[in-house]
Amino acid sequence: MEKKNIILIFLFLTCGSLSIYAQQVVPASRFEIQGRPFDNTPKFHRIDTAKYIGLPAAVKKLYTHAAGLFVTFKSNTSKLSLRWKTVDAGLGNNSTPIMSRGFDAYIKEVNGWRFAGVARPDLKNMESTATVVEDMAKTEKEFLLYFPLYKELLDFDVIIDENASFIDTKQSFDKTIVIYGSSIVHGASASRPGLAYPAQLGRKLNANVINMGVSGNARMEPAVADMLSDIGSADLIIMDCVPNSSPEEIKERTFNFVKRLRKSHPQTPILMVESITRQLGNYNLKWRARLIEQNTNFRLQYERLQQAGYKNLYYIPTDHLIGDDSEGTVDGTHPTDVGFERMLKIIGNKVEVIF
Protein backbone atom coordinates (compact mmCIF):
# COMPACT_ATOMS: atom_id res chain seq x y z
CA MET A 1 0.00 0.00 0.00
CA GLU A 2 2.77 2.41 0.94
CA LYS A 3 4.54 1.80 -2.38
CA LYS A 4 1.26 2.41 -4.26
CA ASN A 5 0.74 5.71 -2.45
CA ILE A 6 4.25 6.85 -3.33
CA ILE A 7 3.57 6.10 -7.00
CA LEU A 8 0.25 7.99 -6.90
CA ILE A 9 1.92 10.99 -5.25
CA PHE A 10 4.65 10.95 -7.92
CA LEU A 11 2.07 10.84 -10.73
CA PHE A 12 0.09 13.66 -9.13
CA LEU A 13 3.17 15.85 -8.84
CA THR A 14 4.24 15.06 -12.39
CA CYS A 15 0.83 15.87 -13.84
CA GLY A 16 0.62 18.97 -11.72
CA SER A 17 3.98 20.10 -13.01
CA LEU A 18 2.89 19.58 -16.61
CA SER A 19 -0.26 21.62 -16.08
CA ILE A 20 1.61 24.47 -14.42
CA TYR A 21 4.29 24.58 -17.10
CA ALA A 22 2.13 23.69 -20.10
CA GLN A 23 3.94 24.32 -23.36
CA GLN A 24 3.47 24.33 -27.10
CA VAL A 25 5.90 22.61 -29.42
CA VAL A 26 6.86 24.34 -32.66
CA PRO A 27 8.42 21.80 -35.06
CA ALA A 28 11.27 22.57 -37.43
CA SER A 29 8.88 22.38 -40.39
CA ARG A 30 7.34 25.70 -39.36
CA PHE A 31 10.60 27.61 -39.76
CA GLU A 32 12.33 28.98 -42.83
CA ILE A 33 15.99 27.99 -42.55
CA GLN A 34 18.24 30.97 -43.27
CA GLY A 35 21.96 31.24 -44.03
CA ARG A 36 21.87 28.69 -46.85
CA PRO A 37 23.58 29.31 -50.17
CA PHE A 38 20.88 27.52 -52.17
CA ASP A 39 17.12 26.99 -52.04
CA ASN A 40 15.64 23.50 -51.78
CA THR A 41 18.57 22.07 -49.84
CA PRO A 42 17.62 18.83 -48.05
CA LYS A 43 17.47 18.44 -44.29
CA PHE A 44 19.61 20.97 -42.46
CA HIS A 45 22.56 20.66 -44.83
CA ARG A 46 24.36 23.62 -46.32
CA ILE A 47 24.30 22.19 -49.85
CA ASP A 48 22.68 19.33 -51.73
CA THR A 49 25.62 16.92 -51.59
CA ALA A 50 23.91 14.55 -54.06
CA LYS A 51 23.88 17.31 -56.67
CA TYR A 52 27.59 18.10 -56.42
CA ILE A 53 28.96 14.64 -57.06
CA GLY A 54 32.45 15.88 -57.91
CA LEU A 55 33.21 17.20 -54.45
CA PRO A 56 35.70 15.25 -52.31
CA ALA A 57 33.94 12.88 -49.91
CA ALA A 58 35.22 14.70 -46.82
CA VAL A 59 33.96 18.03 -48.15
CA LYS A 60 30.53 16.53 -48.82
CA LYS A 61 30.29 15.25 -45.27
CA LEU A 62 31.31 18.58 -43.79
CA TYR A 63 28.65 20.40 -45.80
CA THR A 64 26.03 18.32 -44.00
CA HIS A 65 27.01 20.27 -40.87
CA ALA A 66 24.64 23.12 -40.05
CA ALA A 67 27.36 25.78 -39.64
CA GLY A 68 26.00 29.26 -40.25
CA LEU A 69 22.35 28.21 -40.49
CA PHE A 70 19.77 29.91 -38.30
CA VAL A 71 16.09 30.69 -37.84
CA THR A 72 14.31 33.79 -36.57
CA PHE A 73 10.84 34.17 -35.10
CA LYS A 74 8.69 36.39 -32.92
CA SER A 75 6.99 35.30 -29.70
CA ASN A 76 5.80 36.72 -26.41
CA THR A 77 6.85 33.55 -24.56
CA SER A 78 8.35 33.86 -21.09
CA LYS A 79 10.43 30.70 -21.58
CA LEU A 80 12.31 29.31 -24.55
CA SER A 81 13.46 25.68 -24.70
CA LEU A 82 14.74 23.38 -27.42
CA ARG A 83 14.58 19.68 -28.16
CA TRP A 84 16.91 18.45 -30.89
CA LYS A 85 18.87 15.55 -32.32
CA THR A 86 22.29 15.41 -33.95
CA VAL A 87 23.78 12.55 -35.94
CA ASP A 88 25.90 11.47 -32.98
CA ALA A 89 27.10 12.69 -29.59
CA GLY A 90 30.80 12.91 -30.40
CA LEU A 91 32.80 16.02 -29.56
CA GLY A 92 36.02 17.50 -30.83
CA ASN A 93 38.96 17.77 -28.47
CA ASN A 94 39.38 21.52 -29.04
CA SER A 95 35.76 22.66 -29.04
CA THR A 96 32.97 23.26 -26.58
CA PRO A 97 29.86 21.06 -26.64
CA ILE A 98 27.70 24.17 -27.10
CA MET A 99 29.58 25.23 -30.24
CA SER A 100 29.73 21.75 -31.69
CA ARG A 101 26.28 20.36 -30.86
CA GLY A 102 24.31 23.14 -29.19
CA PHE A 103 22.41 26.30 -30.07
CA ASP A 104 22.60 29.87 -28.93
CA ALA A 105 19.90 32.51 -29.00
CA TYR A 106 19.81 36.26 -29.54
CA ILE A 107 16.99 38.78 -29.15
CA LYS A 108 16.67 41.81 -31.40
CA GLU A 109 17.04 45.19 -29.73
CA VAL A 110 17.00 48.70 -31.21
CA ASN A 111 20.77 48.63 -31.64
CA GLY A 112 21.03 45.04 -32.95
CA TRP A 113 21.02 41.46 -31.72
CA ARG A 114 21.75 40.80 -28.04
CA PHE A 115 22.79 37.44 -26.60
CA ALA A 116 20.01 35.70 -24.64
CA GLY A 117 21.15 32.17 -23.78
CA VAL A 118 22.38 28.78 -24.93
CA ALA A 119 21.02 25.26 -25.34
CA ARG A 120 23.51 22.87 -23.78
CA PRO A 121 23.60 19.44 -25.46
CA ASP A 122 23.45 16.11 -23.70
CA LEU A 123 27.04 14.86 -23.53
CA LYS A 124 26.17 11.19 -24.02
CA ASN A 125 23.07 11.04 -26.21
CA MET A 126 22.22 12.17 -29.71
CA GLU A 127 18.98 13.69 -28.41
CA SER A 128 19.03 16.75 -26.16
CA THR A 129 16.53 18.96 -24.38
CA ALA A 130 17.51 22.25 -22.80
CA THR A 131 16.08 25.51 -21.52
CA VAL A 132 17.66 28.44 -23.34
CA VAL A 133 16.20 31.31 -21.31
CA GLU A 134 13.29 31.67 -18.88
CA ASP A 135 11.50 34.18 -16.63
CA MET A 136 11.30 36.72 -19.45
CA ALA A 137 8.72 39.48 -19.71
CA LYS A 138 5.69 38.38 -21.73
CA THR A 139 6.24 41.01 -24.40
CA GLU A 140 6.76 40.19 -28.05
CA LYS A 141 10.42 39.59 -28.87
CA GLU A 142 12.21 38.55 -32.03
CA PHE A 143 14.55 35.60 -31.50
CA LEU A 144 17.51 34.39 -33.54
CA LEU A 145 18.68 30.79 -33.09
CA TYR A 146 22.06 29.73 -34.45
CA PHE A 147 22.39 26.03 -35.26
CA PRO A 148 25.23 23.74 -34.11
CA LEU A 149 28.45 24.33 -36.04
CA TYR A 150 30.14 20.94 -36.11
CA LYS A 151 27.40 18.35 -36.40
CA GLU A 152 24.75 17.22 -38.81
CA LEU A 153 21.48 18.34 -37.25
CA LEU A 154 18.69 15.78 -37.75
CA ASP A 155 15.72 17.57 -36.21
CA PHE A 156 14.68 20.21 -33.70
CA ASP A 157 11.63 21.57 -31.90
CA VAL A 158 11.24 24.97 -30.30
CA ILE A 159 9.23 24.88 -27.07
CA ILE A 160 7.41 28.00 -25.85
CA ASP A 161 4.60 28.88 -23.43
CA GLU A 162 1.29 27.16 -24.16
CA ASN A 163 -0.57 30.36 -25.07
CA ALA A 164 2.37 32.30 -26.45
CA SER A 165 2.26 33.83 -29.90
CA PHE A 166 4.49 32.51 -32.66
CA ILE A 167 5.40 34.12 -36.00
CA ASP A 168 8.17 32.75 -38.21
CA THR A 169 10.21 35.63 -39.62
CA LYS A 170 12.76 36.13 -42.36
CA GLN A 171 15.53 38.70 -42.12
CA SER A 172 16.15 41.42 -44.69
CA PHE A 173 19.87 41.89 -45.27
CA ASP A 174 21.88 44.67 -46.87
CA LYS A 175 24.43 42.34 -48.50
CA THR A 176 25.27 38.68 -49.05
CA ILE A 177 28.80 37.53 -48.20
CA VAL A 178 30.10 34.04 -48.99
CA ILE A 179 33.07 32.87 -46.90
CA TYR A 180 35.00 29.81 -48.06
CA GLY A 181 37.62 28.51 -45.69
CA SER A 182 39.05 26.14 -43.15
CA SER A 183 38.03 25.08 -39.63
CA ILE A 184 38.46 28.70 -38.57
CA VAL A 185 35.62 29.74 -40.88
CA HIS A 186 33.69 26.60 -39.90
CA GLY A 187 33.79 27.91 -36.33
CA ALA A 188 36.61 26.26 -34.38
CA SER A 189 37.08 27.12 -31.60
CA ALA A 190 34.38 29.60 -30.71
CA SER A 191 32.66 28.94 -27.39
CA ARG A 192 29.21 28.99 -29.03
CA PRO A 193 27.83 29.21 -32.59
CA GLY A 194 27.09 32.94 -32.59
CA LEU A 195 30.71 33.81 -31.82
CA ALA A 196 32.26 32.25 -34.93
CA TYR A 197 33.55 35.18 -36.95
CA PRO A 198 31.18 34.66 -39.92
CA ALA A 199 28.20 34.93 -37.54
CA GLN A 200 29.65 37.99 -35.84
CA LEU A 201 30.33 39.59 -39.22
CA GLY A 202 26.72 39.03 -40.21
CA ARG A 203 25.40 40.77 -37.11
CA LYS A 204 27.92 43.59 -37.37
CA LEU A 205 27.05 44.47 -40.98
CA ASN A 206 23.46 43.21 -41.21
CA ALA A 207 24.71 40.87 -43.92
CA ASN A 208 23.60 37.41 -44.97
CA VAL A 209 26.90 35.65 -44.32
CA ILE A 210 27.00 32.18 -45.84
CA ASN A 211 29.44 29.96 -43.97
CA MET A 212 31.16 27.60 -46.41
CA GLY A 213 33.93 26.52 -44.04
CA VAL A 214 35.07 22.91 -44.29
CA SER A 215 37.26 21.96 -41.37
CA GLY A 216 40.64 20.65 -42.50
CA ASN A 217 39.53 20.44 -46.14
CA ALA A 218 39.61 23.90 -47.73
CA ARG A 219 42.02 23.08 -50.54
CA MET A 220 40.57 25.01 -53.50
CA GLU A 221 39.53 22.02 -55.61
CA PRO A 222 37.97 22.90 -59.01
CA ALA A 223 34.73 21.17 -58.02
CA VAL A 224 34.46 23.43 -54.98
CA ALA A 225 35.00 26.53 -57.12
CA ASP A 226 32.26 25.38 -59.47
CA MET A 227 29.87 24.78 -56.58
CA LEU A 228 30.60 28.22 -55.11
CA SER A 229 30.07 29.71 -58.56
CA ASP A 230 26.49 28.50 -58.47
CA ILE A 231 25.71 30.86 -55.57
CA GLY A 232 23.96 33.54 -57.54
CA SER A 233 23.56 36.59 -55.33
CA ALA A 234 26.94 37.10 -53.66
CA ASP A 235 28.03 40.70 -53.07
CA LEU A 236 31.41 39.58 -51.74
CA ILE A 237 33.39 36.33 -51.70
CA ILE A 238 35.99 35.83 -48.97
CA MET A 239 38.73 33.23 -49.47
CA ASP A 240 40.11 32.28 -46.04
CA CYS A 241 41.45 28.90 -47.13
CA VAL A 242 45.23 29.19 -46.75
CA PRO A 243 45.53 27.19 -43.47
CA ASN A 244 44.41 23.91 -45.09
CA SER A 245 46.19 24.26 -48.41
CA SER A 246 49.80 23.14 -48.72
CA PRO A 247 52.29 25.65 -50.16
CA GLU A 248 52.25 23.61 -53.37
CA GLU A 249 48.45 23.55 -53.57
CA ILE A 250 48.35 27.31 -53.06
CA LYS A 251 50.81 27.80 -55.87
CA GLU A 252 49.02 25.41 -58.21
CA ARG A 253 45.35 26.10 -57.46
CA THR A 254 44.76 29.71 -56.36
CA PHE A 255 44.85 31.32 -59.80
CA ASN A 256 42.53 28.77 -61.40
CA PHE A 257 40.19 28.84 -58.39
CA VAL A 258 39.64 32.59 -58.80
CA LYS A 259 39.43 32.16 -62.58
CA ARG A 260 36.57 29.68 -62.18
CA LEU A 261 34.78 31.95 -59.70
CA ARG A 262 35.05 34.82 -62.16
CA LYS A 263 33.08 32.91 -64.83
CA SER A 264 29.83 33.45 -62.93
CA HIS A 265 30.90 36.36 -60.71
CA PRO A 266 32.81 38.62 -63.12
CA GLN A 267 32.51 41.78 -60.99
CA THR A 268 31.98 40.42 -57.48
CA PRO A 269 34.70 41.61 -55.09
CA ILE A 270 36.92 38.80 -53.83
CA LEU A 271 38.76 39.26 -50.55
CA MET A 272 41.78 36.99 -50.12
CA VAL A 273 42.89 36.44 -46.51
CA GLU A 274 46.24 35.01 -45.49
CA SER A 275 46.44 32.35 -42.80
CA ILE A 276 46.49 33.63 -39.26
CA THR A 277 49.93 33.43 -37.70
CA ARG A 278 49.46 30.08 -36.01
CA GLN A 279 51.11 30.12 -32.62
CA LEU A 280 52.24 26.53 -33.07
CA GLY A 281 55.07 28.20 -34.94
CA ASN A 282 56.29 30.14 -31.93
CA TYR A 283 58.84 27.39 -31.30
CA ASN A 284 58.09 24.69 -33.89
CA LEU A 285 60.40 25.72 -36.74
CA LYS A 286 58.77 23.38 -39.25
CA TRP A 287 55.33 24.90 -38.66
CA ARG A 288 56.77 28.42 -38.88
CA ALA A 289 58.46 27.72 -42.19
CA ARG A 290 55.29 26.15 -43.62
CA LEU A 291 53.18 29.16 -42.62
CA ILE A 292 55.60 31.61 -44.19
CA GLU A 293 55.64 29.60 -47.43
CA GLN A 294 51.84 29.31 -47.48
CA ASN A 295 51.28 33.03 -47.08
CA THR A 296 54.11 33.96 -49.43
CA ASN A 297 52.69 31.78 -52.19
CA PHE A 298 49.19 33.15 -51.63
CA ARG A 299 50.42 36.73 -51.97
CA LEU A 300 52.35 35.83 -55.13
CA GLN A 301 49.18 34.37 -56.65
CA TYR A 302 47.25 37.49 -55.69
CA GLU A 303 49.86 39.58 -57.49
CA ARG A 304 49.75 37.22 -60.45
CA LEU A 305 45.98 37.65 -60.68
CA GLN A 306 46.37 41.41 -60.62
CA GLN A 307 49.01 41.29 -63.35
CA ALA A 308 46.66 39.15 -65.43
CA GLY A 309 44.06 41.91 -65.30
CA TYR A 310 41.70 40.60 -62.64
CA LYS A 311 39.87 43.46 -60.91
CA ASN A 312 38.01 43.85 -57.62
CA LEU A 313 40.54 41.77 -55.73
CA TYR A 314 41.39 42.67 -52.14
CA TYR A 315 43.92 41.27 -49.70
CA ILE A 316 44.47 40.95 -45.96
CA PRO A 317 47.91 39.87 -44.70
CA THR A 318 48.44 37.79 -41.59
CA ASP A 319 49.67 40.80 -39.59
CA HIS A 320 47.81 41.23 -36.28
CA LEU A 321 44.84 39.05 -37.37
CA ILE A 322 44.62 37.35 -33.98
CA GLY A 323 46.75 39.83 -32.06
CA ASP A 324 50.40 39.79 -31.16
CA ASP A 325 50.38 38.41 -27.62
CA SER A 326 50.12 34.67 -28.44
CA GLU A 327 46.86 34.51 -26.48
CA GLY A 328 44.40 34.33 -29.36
CA THR A 329 44.01 30.57 -29.87
CA VAL A 330 42.87 27.54 -27.92
CA ASP A 331 45.56 25.21 -29.28
CA GLY A 332 48.02 27.30 -31.27
CA THR A 333 45.85 27.08 -34.41
CA HIS A 334 42.15 27.71 -33.73
CA PRO A 335 40.99 31.09 -32.39
CA THR A 336 39.30 31.53 -29.06
CA ASP A 337 36.52 34.10 -28.74
CA VAL A 338 39.29 36.65 -28.18
CA GLY A 339 41.01 35.59 -31.39
CA PHE A 340 37.76 35.77 -33.35
CA GLU A 341 37.05 39.25 -31.98
CA ARG A 342 40.43 40.38 -33.23
CA MET A 343 39.88 38.79 -36.63
CA LEU A 344 36.45 40.38 -36.88
CA LYS A 345 37.85 43.85 -36.30
CA ILE A 346 40.34 43.59 -39.15
CA ILE A 347 38.16 41.64 -41.59
CA GLY A 348 35.03 43.65 -40.75
CA ASN A 349 36.81 46.96 -41.30
CA LYS A 350 38.14 45.75 -44.65
CA VAL A 351 34.69 44.56 -45.75
CA GLU A 352 33.19 47.94 -44.85
CA VAL A 353 35.80 49.62 -47.04
CA ILE A 354 34.98 47.29 -49.95
CA PHE A 355 31.26 48.04 -49.64
Side-chain angles (χ1 to χ4, degrees):
M1 179 64 71
E2 183 177 350
K3 183 176 181 181
K4 183 178 180 181
N5 288 337
I6 292 173
I7 293 173
L8 288 172
I9 292 171
F10 172 78
L11 290 173
F12 173 79
L13 291 173
T14 302
C15 293
S17 176
L18 289 174
S19 64
I20 293 172
Y21 299 105
Q23 301 164 326
Q24 60 172 304
V25 176
V26 185
S29 59
R30 293 186 61 185
F31 294 89
E32 179 168 353
I33 310 301
Q34 300 173 70
R36 281 175 162 162
F38 307 110
D39 295 330
N40 303 317
T41 304
K43 302 179 182 179
F44 306 105
H45 298 174
R46 286 180 282 172
I47 69 169
D48 185 348
T49 56
K51 177 179 178 181
Y52 294 98
I53 59 175
L55 294 176
V59 172
K60 286 185 181 181
K61 181 176 181 181
L62 290 165
Y63 279 137
T64 68
H65 294 181
L69 305 189
F70 61 93
V71 294
T72 59
F73 61 96
K74 291 181 179 179
S75 178
N76 62 359
T77 187
S78 67
K79 182 176 180 179
L80 175 65
S81 302
L82 287 173
R83 182 170 59 220
W84 72 103
K85 184 178 181 180
T86 54
V87 70
D88 60 55
L91 296 170
N93 59 16
N94 62 356
S95 32
T96 71
I98 295 170
M99 177 278 281
S100 179
R101 294 184 50 234
F103 291 72
D104 58 359
Y106 287 74
I107 292 176
K108 183 175 282 188
E109 302 288 353
V110 174
N111 59 348
W113 294 99
R114 185 182 187 187
F115 172 69
V118 299
R120 304 169 189 263
D122 189 295
L123 297 182
K124 297 181 180 180
N125 300 307
M126 299 161 55
E127 298 183 11
S128 301
T129 302
T131 297
V132 179
V133 57
E134 58 187 339
D135 298 322
M136 295 182 287
K138 293 185 178 182
T139 53
E140 185 178 71
K141 300 164 283 293
E142 186 164 20
F143 295 88
L144 182 157
L145 285 177
Y146 285 112
F147 288 9
L149 295 182
Y150 261 80
K151 285 294 172 185
E152 180 182 359
L153 179 65
L154 300 181
D155 200 8
F156 74 92
D157 295 316
V158 169
I159 304 170
I160 57 178
D161 296 347
E162 182 179 32
N163 296 314
S165 61
F166 172 81
I167 303 172
D168 182 39
T169 62
K170 183 177 181 180
Q171 299 307 300
S172 177
F173 295 106
D174 297 331
K175 300 286 184 181
T176 295
I177 301 172
V178 178
I179 309 183
Y180 168 65
S182 66
S183 54
I184 295 171
V185 173
H186 202 139
S189 293
S191 60
R192 50 186 173 83
L195 290 181
Y197 94 74
Q200 292 198 63
L201 185 65
R203 295 196 303 277
K204 175 182 174 68
L205 302 179
N206 187 39
N208 180 26
V209 175
I210 297 173
N211 187 327
M212 299 303 286
V214 278
S215 181
N217 285 273
R219 297 193 177 95
M220 295 185 285
E221 296 93 343
V224 174
D226 292 342
M227 179 272 294
L228 295 174
S229 295
D230 285 347
I231 302 174
S233 58
D235 297 297
L236 172 66
I237 299 171
I238 299 178
M239 293 174 57
D240 187 0
C241 49
V242 174
N244 290 160
S245 302
S246 70
E248 295 75 20
E249 287 170 337
I250 292 169
K251 185 176 181 180
E252 295 168 359
R253 297 180 179 181
T254 304
F255 188 95
N256 286 331
F257 193 85
V258 173
K259 182 179 178 180
R260 294 178 97 96
L261 291 177
R262 276 284 178 254
K263 290 181 180 179
S264 58
H265 296 86
Q267 303 299 327
T268 302
I270 297 176
L271 173 58
M272 303 170 66
V273 183
E274 287 186 2
S275 171
I276 63 170
T277 299
R278 296 203 240 182
Q279 294 150 3
L280 284 175
N282 285 352
Y283 299 100
N284 186 316
L285 301 183
K286 185 177 180 180
W287 268 103
R288 185 187 304 177
R290 175 184 167 86
L291 173 73
I292 292 171
E293 190 176 3
Q294 285 175 305
N295 284 338
T296 298
N297 286 357
F298 200 55
R299 178 179 286 275
L300 289 173
Q301 292 304 305
Y302 166 69
E303 293 171 353
R304 180 187 170 198
L305 285 160
Q306 287 184 310
Q307 293 165 4
Y310 285 84
K311 306 295 184 183
N312 286 335
L313 298 180
Y314 300 85
Y315 198 85
I316 293 179
T318 187
D319 305 338
H320 317 300
L321 264 177
I322 55 169
D324 304 305
D325 56 6
S326 294
E327 301 294 348
T329 71
V330 70
D331 55 5
T333 294
H334 300 96
T336 60
D337 294 340
V338 170
F340 275 131
E341 182 180 8
R342 293 168 177 175
M343 290 184 71
L344 177 69
K345 183 176 181 179
I346 292 175
I347 295 173
N349 288 345
K350 187 71 171 182
V351 171
E352 289 183 303
V353 169
I354 294 172
F355 287 156

